[in-house]
Amino acid sequence: MIKGIVPSLVLFLAVALAAVPWALPAAAAFILPLLLIIFVFVLAMLQKSELPAVPVFAAGLLMDVLTAGPLGYWAVIFLLTHTLAGVYSRRTRQKRFTNLWLAFAATAAVAAIFGWALASIYFVRIIDWQPMFIGGAVAIALFPLIAWPVRHLLGLVPAARFSRQG
């Protein structure tokens, strides 16, 4: 329980930063929220026993409240990311960075498609897919820049588990 405090606080801090109105163009509306799935993925993947689903769900609800979005939208996407990271973590023994990046790319693609579909259902019409696609692509591209500090600067995982060699 106590071990989960630091990863949860990191996630909540990231949510607070992502919810700030940064005056991004409409096409980039989903970039910041989808960058949060990097935090969820890395913290769940490398500290899966220390980041329970409850704070992940709460962080998603907080994101929904802070951005005035539909309640539960980001919570469900964050839980999906947490679940996929857990599945990957249990099924693989080699956690080289390139493998993590590829696993994240697949997870981000699934999360973006699911988010688009969920939003389309919520608004009862097919919404524009481009903002979600842009957000997912940027999250995949920026994965190394966000995952590295989470790993190295915060010291949340042993060095051997997140190295290039495995």
Side-chain angles (χ1 to χ4, degrees), residues 5-158:
I5 292 174
V6 171
S8 299
L9 289 176
V10 168
L11 182 58
F12 282 107
L13 178 63
V15 166
L17 289 173
V20 172
W22 295 102
L24 294 174
F30 289 101
I31 290 175
L32 291 176
L34 282 172
L35 287 179
L36 293 175
I37 67 171
I38 297 173
F39 286 90
V40 173
F41 183 85
V42 170
L43 294 171
M45 180 71 170
L46 302 172
Q47 296 286 343
K48 68 179 176 121
S49 63
E50 295 184 13
L51 184 66
V54 172
V56 171
F57 185 77
L61 287 178
L62 179 63
M63 186 66 181
D64 294 329
V65 169
L66 293 177
T67 59
L71 195 59
Y73 178 76
W74 288 110
V76 170
I77 292 172
F78 288 1
L79 280 179
L80 174 67
T81 302
H82 185 267
T83 302
L84 292 174
V87 167
Y88 177 74
S89 181
R90 284 189 301 273
R91 292 192 176 199
T92 186
R93 290 206 168 101
Q94 285 193 338
K95 292 186 174 110
R96 286 187 265 165
F97 185 76
T98 52
N99 292 350
L100 290 175
W101 197 357
L102 289 173
F104 175 75
T107 300
V110 169
I113 291 168
F114 181 79
W116 170 80
L118 191 61
S120 293
I121 291 169
Y122 177 78
F123 289 109
V124 194
R125 65 180 175 84
I126 303 296
I127 65 165
D128 187 16
W129 58 270
Q130 291 173 337
M132 192 61 84
F133 175 80
I134 291 168
V138 169
I140 292 167
L142 293 181
F143 179 78
L145 296 176
I146 295 173
W148 189 90
V150 169
R151 160 50 191 92
H152 287 88
L153 299 178
L154 298 175
L156 294 175
V157 296

